[in-house]
Amino acid sequence: HNILTIELEEPKEDLILEIVDQLGRTIQIDELSNNGIVIQLDLSDIPAGMYVLRLNSADTFSSLSIVKR
């Protein structure tokens, strides 16, 4: 269960996905262009813990907490 699936309301161009740990360190960053509504992230290289997932595009910024077990 190392795949995180994110469903967007609409496709975004030039989307930046950033995973940040509790100390504010960037653990993973992915730059996606011409992506669809559903995005899948492989979290297998990330240790168990709490993280913040930041989604950033030209017109949108959002963040959510995720827990990897």
Side-chain angles (χ1 to χ4, degrees), residues 4-10 12-20 28-30 32 35 37 39-41 52-66:
L4 174 65
T5 302
I6 301 166
E7 187 172 340
L8 304 173
E9 292 179 9
E10 60 187 40
K12 299 285 183 188
E13 290 189 22
D14 301 324
L15 182 67
I16 297 174
L17 297 158
E18 183 179 10
I19 298 175
V20 180
Q28 180 175 327
I29 190 163
D30 294 302
L32 307 172
N35 60 299
I37 293 178
I39 299 168
Q40 291 190 324
L41 294 176
V52 174
L53 174 64
R54 296 178 180 160
L55 304 167
N56 196 3
S57 69
D59 61 351
T60 305
F61 176 82
S62 58
S63 64
L64 59 122
S65 297
I66 59 173

